[in-house]
């Protein structure tokens, strides 16, 4: 008795009929061939000043779907359409886990408050602005601003946006959308995709900027999805102060519990591998166990309606800090490249998928005119521009005000780069749009179809058009790049590099006029207030070395008590 892959995929929603099952082998073959082609073209265009992987994959998806439509005279199997369940269950976890696994932990946590301000608070600000702008779809453009007890006249800019957009959408006649749709649009278009600019920025050349863009992207996606899920849970027909408080409480609960779950699973993996030491018998088992436990953390979070993104991201951070050092040398090399390869293939698959779905004839048939979708897309993207600027520059100003070292401050050109990086929208926006406005990939309401096609239009425009000018723009905005000291740009590779930059408050010991013995230890509340990030890191390092690493392993601790093999095999891999 064999396993019927087609029946299983129909049960989980990837296939919907026997017709799709008929096209399954051809579709899988097509996507595998396209991924190979994307890797080949991406390699050949590696030094091109305009192209990057997301652009290449999106264009290949567009061209492939166009060729299929021409050959089939306007008909194509539904298997080639975007499926949000396939995205959230299979494609997103490897990307987010590898992001946490490969993150430069010192830079990430050194700028943790700024990253959380951009990723969480900034996303909420963008969400509010886009919601108020999108609420002009209703018959009364200004009245919606007072739904939560606020007067529209207090928001002059938003009121002008609402009235102007209302006049445009009244002519477009997009159809009916309720309040939950407006709020969902705020969450949908608050989700950024920073893959394009991360292809340009290098961690060793711009450690601060790369850390901010990378960290904000992960936290932003998690915040957007948590917001979207919270919107689906609450009855928003009559918003009161108690509902708003419950909404905020639920949001914070999901954030905290999801993070804690990821940390717990990561520590569990470190403890199991350290105690059982799988490497004595099979390196394959410890690699498989790491991957399976990481995926298990994501699925447990989704099972309990938590944020799988936050869970698997922090699981990756903990695994790279503890578990990775408990496995054999060969397994360390294998996991580093295996997780990176899975992440890259998933990203390529997503952009090819989005490019293909852009030419879905069924959805475009409900749009009265392509100009209708273009007009809606223009207004939505304008709100994205304004919502992005509304928090990047103020939060950067506040962050700079709290920083004393000039190297820790975000310069104006770097602020513009961060603003530009967040203008691009990706697969998370498309997946959320399908969840809100489509049922099993289909929709028959003109308003819903317009929202989906407009989302795809914004995603492709931001990915292809903005992505084309990303490399030249970064070269113009940023001064000639120079390589920073390895102590500031990467994870430390020796105990000396761990303590020097942090305890010396970012100063080189030679500049301070002495060695490590002359460094003042942060032992007082006054020192905590003066240099909070360095002081917190000092106490965390002390706690980690005294209590955590002896139990869960890590750099300098062998997996099995009494074994001396692993201590001598410490590889020089930079995570």
């Amino acid at each position: 008795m064999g396993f019927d892959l087609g029946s299983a995929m129909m049960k989980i929603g990837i296939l919907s009929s026997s017709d799709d099952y008929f096209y399954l082998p051809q579709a899988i073959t097509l996507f595998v061939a396209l991924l190979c082609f994307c890797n080949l073209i991406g390699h050949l265009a590696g030094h091109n000043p305009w192209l990057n992987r997301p652009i290449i994959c999106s264009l290949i998806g567009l061209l492939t779907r166009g060729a299929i439509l021409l050959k089939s005279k306007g008909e194509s199997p539904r298997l080639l359409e975007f499926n949000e369940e396939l995205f959230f269950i299979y494609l997103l976890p490897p990307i987010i886990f590898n992001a946490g696994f490969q993150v430069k932990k010192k830079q990430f946590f050194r700028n943790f408050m700024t990253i959380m301000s951009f990723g969480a608070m900034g996303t909420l600000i963008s969400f509010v602005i886009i919601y108020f702008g999108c609420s002009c779809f209703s018959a009364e453009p200004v009245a919606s601003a007072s739904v939560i007890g606020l007067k529209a006249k207090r928001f002059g800019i938003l009121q002008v946006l609402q009235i102007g957009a209302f006049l445009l959408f009244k002519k477009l006649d997009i159809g009916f959308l309720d309040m939950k749709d407006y709020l969902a649009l705020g969450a949908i278009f608050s989700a950024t995709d920073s893959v394009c600019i991360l292809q340009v920025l290098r961690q060793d050349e711009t450690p601060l900027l790369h850390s901010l863009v990378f960290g904000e992207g992960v936290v932003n996606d998690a915040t957007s999805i948590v917001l979207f899920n919270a919107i689906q849970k609450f009855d928003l027909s009559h918003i009161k102060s108690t509902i708003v408080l419950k909404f905020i409480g639920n949001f914070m609960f999901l954030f905290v519990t999801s993070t804690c779950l990821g940390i717990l699973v990561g520590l569990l993996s470190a403890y199991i591998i350290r105690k059982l030491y799988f490497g004595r018998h099979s390196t394959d088992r410890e690699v498989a166990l790491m991957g399976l436990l990481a995926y298990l953390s994501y699925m447990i979070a989704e099972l309990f309606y938590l944020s799988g993104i936050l869970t698997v991201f922090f699981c990756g951070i903990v695994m790279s800090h503890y578990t990775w050092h408990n496995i054999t040398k060969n397994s360390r090399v294998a996991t580093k490249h295996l997780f990176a390869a899975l992440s890259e293939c998933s990203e390529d698959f997503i952009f090819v998928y989005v490019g293909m779905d852009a030419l879905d004839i069924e959805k475009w048939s409900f749009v009265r005119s392509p100009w209708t979708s273009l007009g809606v897309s223009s207004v939505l993207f304008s709100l994205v521009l304004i919502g992005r600027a509304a928090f990047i520059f103020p939060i950067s100003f506040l962050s700079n005000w709290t920083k004393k070292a000039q190297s820790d401050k975000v310069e104006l050109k770097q602020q513009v780069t961060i603003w530009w990086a967040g203008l691009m929208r990706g697969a998370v926006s498309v997946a959320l749009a399908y969840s809100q406005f489509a049922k099993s990939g289909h929709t028959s309401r003109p308003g819903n179809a317009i929202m989906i096609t407009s989302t795809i239009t914004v995603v492709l425009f931001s990915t292809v058009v903005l992505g084309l000018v990303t490399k030249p723009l970064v070269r113009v905005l940023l001064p000639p790049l120079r390589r920073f000291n390895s102590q500031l740009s990467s994870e430390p590779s020796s105990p000396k590099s761990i303590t020097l930059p942090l305890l010396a408050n970012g100063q080189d010991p030679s500049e301070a006029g002495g060695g490590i013995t002359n460094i003042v230890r942060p032992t007082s509340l006054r020192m905590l207030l003066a240099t909070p990030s360095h002081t917190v890191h000092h106490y965390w390092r002390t706690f980690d070395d005294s209590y955590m690493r002896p139990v869960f392993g890590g750099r300098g601790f062998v997996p099995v008590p009494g074994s001396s093999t692993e201590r001598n095999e410490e590889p020089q891999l930079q995570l």
Side-chain angles (χ1 to χ4, degrees):
M1 184 174 67
F3 175 71
D4 192 343
L5 177 62
S7 299
M9 297 180 78
M10 276 188 255
K11 290 180 180 179
I12 63 176
I14 297 177
L15 301 181
S16 62
S17 66
S18 58
D19 293 335
D20 290 337
Y21 179 49
F22 174 77
Y23 288 105
L24 178 60
Q26 294 93 322
I28 293 177
T29 303
L30 174 63
F31 273 106
V32 172
L34 288 177
L35 290 179
C36 295
F37 190 59
C38 288
N39 276 276
L40 177 62
I41 300 299
H43 173 73
L44 296 177
H47 299 289
N48 188 283
W50 301 94
L51 296 178
N52 52 48
R53 260 189 29 244
I55 296 175
I56 292 172
C57 295
S58 299
L59 292 177
I60 289 176
L62 277 170
L63 294 175
T64 303
R65 185 60 175 260
I68 294 175
L69 290 174
L70 288 176
K71 184 176 180 181
S72 61
K73 298 180 180 180
E75 297 181 0
S76 63
R78 191 176 160 265
L79 186 61
L80 298 180
E81 298 174 7
F82 190 89
N83 186 287
E84 63 273 16
E85 292 184 4
L86 174 65
F87 170 74
F88 282 115
I89 297 177
Y90 300 105
L91 300 178
L92 188 60
I95 298 173
I96 302 301
F97 173 75
N98 183 68
F101 194 74
Q102 304 283 358
V103 69
K104 303 295 184 182
K105 295 182 288 296
K106 187 173 70 176
Q107 278 293 333
F108 179 82
F109 287 104
R110 185 177 184 178
N111 303 295
F112 185 74
M113 293 306 299
T114 305
I115 290 173
M116 291 302 297
S117 299
F118 282 147
M121 187 188 304
T123 303
L124 291 173
I125 295 173
S126 178
F127 164 77
V128 172
I129 291 177
I130 294 174
Y131 160 68
F132 278 123
C134 291
S135 63
C136 65
F137 296 157
S138 63
E140 298 179 2
V142 182
S144 60
S146 61
V147 171
I148 57 176
L150 301 174
K151 297 297 182 181
K153 62 183 179 181
R154 297 181 184 176
F155 303 90
I157 296 178
L158 290 176
Q159 188 175 9
V160 171
L161 284 174
Q162 283 186 309
I163 295 175
F166 169 70
L167 296 176
L168 174 61
F169 282 106
K170 185 177 181 180
K171 293 182 179 180
L172 295 177
D173 188 21
I174 66 166
F176 174 77
L177 295 174
D178 57 27
M179 185 185 300
K180 183 171 288 189
D181 293 330
Y182 305 147
L183 290 168
L185 283 172
I188 290 168
F189 285 96
S190 295
T192 65
D193 192 305
S194 54
V195 174
C196 282
I197 201 162
L198 288 176
Q199 298 286 316
V200 181
L201 299 176
R202 295 183 178 180
Q203 297 188 59
D204 55 347
E205 294 177 343
T206 56
L208 173 62
L209 186 59
H210 187 281
S211 175
L212 293 177
V213 173
F214 171 83
E216 188 218 347
V218 175
V219 179
N220 168 272
D221 286 345
T223 306
S224 300
I225 294 175
V226 170
L227 274 174
F228 184 86
N229 292 335
I231 290 169
Q232 308 305 313
K233 291 175 61 176
F234 286 91
D235 180 14
L236 302 174
S237 57
H238 299 86
I239 298 182
K240 300 179 181 179
S241 58
T242 54
I243 295 180
V244 174
L245 292 176
K246 288 181 180 179
F247 183 86
I248 296 175
N250 181 72
F251 178 81
M252 296 303 298
F253 173 78
L254 290 177
F255 247 88
V256 174
T257 52
S258 300
T259 301
C260 292
L261 176 61
I263 294 174
L264 287 175
V265 176
L267 292 176
L268 177 64
S269 69
Y271 185 81
I272 291 176
I273 291 180
R274 175 176 167 80
K275 289 300 182 183
L276 299 182
Y277 190 33
F278 286 81
R280 289 178 298 181
H281 305 290
S282 172
T283 58
D284 299 337
R285 292 178 184 173
E286 56 186 4
V287 174
L289 184 62
M290 284 185 66
L292 291 173
L293 284 174
Y295 189 69
L296 179 64
S297 71
Y298 182 89
M299 295 309 299
I300 291 176
E302 293 297 316
L303 181 65
F304 290 97
Y305 302 100
L306 302 176
S307 173
I309 289 183
L310 278 176
T311 298
V312 78
F313 176 72
F314 280 96
C315 180
I317 291 179
V318 174
M319 281 190 173
S320 68
H321 188 67
Y322 296 110
T323 313
W324 188 79
H325 296 280
N326 296 340
I327 58 180
T328 61
K329 181 178 179 180
N330 291 335
S331 297
R332 295 173 194 172
V333 177
T335 53
K336 180 180 176 65
H337 295 289
L338 174 63
F339 296 150
L342 289 174
S343 173
E344 183 172 328
C345 289
S346 297
E347 289 177 353
D348 292 348
F349 188 94
I350 288 170
F351 282 107
V352 171
Y353 217 21
V354 171
M356 282 189 168
D357 195 62
L359 296 180
D360 182 12
I361 301 300
E362 178 186 353
K363 297 181 186 64
W364 285 100
S365 64
F366 289 100
V367 181
R368 296 178 178 84
S369 169
W371 297 106
T372 302
S373 181
L374 182 62
V376 175
S377 303
S378 301
V379 174
L380 291 172
F381 191 70
S382 300
L383 293 172
V384 169
L385 292 171
I386 298 171
R388 186 79 184 160
F391 73 87
I392 287 294
F393 300 105
I395 291 179
S396 298
F397 173 79
L398 294 175
S399 176
N400 291 340
W401 184 67
T402 61
K403 301 290 179 62
K404 292 187 176 181
Q406 188 64 32
S407 60
D408 292 337
K409 295 183 178 181
V410 186
E411 301 176 355
L412 180 60
K413 291 183 178 181
Q414 293 177 325
Q415 296 176 29
V416 175
T417 305
I418 297 173
W419 172 76
W420 179 270
L423 295 180
M424 301 171 199
R425 296 299 179 264
V428 173
S429 296
V430 176
L432 295 180
Y434 269 85
S435 298
Q436 180 67 25
F437 299 109
K439 184 178 181 180
S440 300
H442 288 274
T443 181
S444 57
R445 294 175 56 185
N448 290 358
I450 291 175
M451 288 299 102
I452 293 178
T453 54
S454 299
T455 302
I456 295 175
T457 302
V458 171
V459 169
L460 285 180
F461 173 80
S462 61
T463 300
V464 177
V465 179
L466 300 186
L468 282 172
V469 299
T470 294
K471 285 186 180 180
L473 181 66
V474 169
R475 292 176 181 176
V476 171
L477 287 175
L478 301 180
L481 302 177
R482 62 181 179 86
R483 292 188 177 272
F484 288 79
N485 190 300
S486 60
Q487 294 175 346
L488 298 177
S489 63
S490 63
E491 285 300 300
S493 57
S494 66
K496 182 178 179 181
S497 65
I498 291 175
T499 56
L500 285 181
L502 290 169
L503 300 183
N505 294 333
Q507 298 179 352
D508 189 91
S510 61
E511 298 176 359
I516 189 172
T517 56
N518 295 329
I519 297 174
V520 180
R521 303 280 177 172
T523 58
S524 65
L525 179 61
R526 182 177 181 181
M527 182 67 74
L528 176 63
L529 297 177
T531 55
S533 61
H534 304 300
T535 307
V536 170
H537 189 281
H538 167 71
Y539 285 117
W540 159 249
R541 179 65 67 184
T542 303
F543 175 79
D544 191 30
D545 291 340
S546 302
Y547 301 101
M548 298 297 289
R549 293 190 182 190
V551 177
F552 299 105
R555 188 187 303 274
F557 288 84
V558 295
V560 178
S563 172
S564 60
T565 57
E566 288 297 300
R567 188 182 295 275
N568 298 326
E569 292 181 347
E570 185 77 17
Q572 298 301 319
L573 290 179
Q574 298 297 324
L575 284 181

